[in-house]
Amino acid sequence: MSYPVHFETQSAHRLELLGRHRQPSDQLLHLRAGSLLMRLGRDEFVLRQGDLFWLPADCLHGLTLWQGCQFNRIRFSVRVRGERPRAAGYLHHHPLLMPLLERLERQLAAAPLDWQGHSGRLSRLLADLLPEFKISSHAAAPIDKGVQCALATVRQGGDLTAIANACQQTQGLSPREVLDQFKQQLGLGLIEWLEQWQLYQTLQHLKQGLSEEQAFRKAGFSTQEQYQQAQQRYRP
């Protein structure tokens, strides 16, 4: 990290498990498209387009990027002075933050960071805002209850039928309404999200020593063919 503020963009063309790690610098994650799964201690957070999440230095975390996920990662080194949040969490939207991030992203798409130029001034302004950052355990724009219900059922191992039944019984939503809400808020269809969740679970089970068949069946795939087709779509 050659400058006190470092800006990078990452995109996932397939399901990517980045593993658990720590960073020596504070980080701000800005989800530009799609969704990702963050593991933080024993908790898991689903971040989606528009979310801002703060990770303090040396915070152990793991990221799993769903296909189509795009996000900005802004790192702040110890050379950036001033107070900043000491706990991980969702960042409340500051009135200057989003316009500043969008402007900086456009600048860096056209040319590398020039610390003495316009992109450098924008980066320093971003660092100046750190004392005003406010952290919350909840996203600034909460996920709709129907989508929350669908995600909870997925995590419990439910299939599409179980998801539809749960959303109908608890939220009064039709299957079409659930599908539309899910795609709108997570940037990915429910079926695609579910299959990638099952692949993610399969990989976790394999790490625990299960055989491949035991792992994919425990993750929710009913046949080896279904599992292999998902592998081809999301893990080529």
Side-chain angles (χ1 to χ4, degrees), residues 98-113:
M98 293 307 298
L100 180 56
L101 288 174
E102 292 169 0
R103 183 70 177 270
L104 185 56
E105 182 180 342
R106 289 195 299 270
Q107 286 283 323
L108 296 178
L113 176 65

Side-chain angles (χ1 to χ4, degrees), residues 28 54 76 83-85 91-92 94 97 126-135:
L28 174 61
W54 177 262
F76 301 89
E83 293 297 321
R84 78 272 312 273
L91 193 66
H92 284 182
H94 187 284
L97 184 55
L126 189 58
D128 289 342
L129 292 178
L130 287 179
E132 300 181 37
F133 286 179
K134 304 298 181 184
I135 300 300

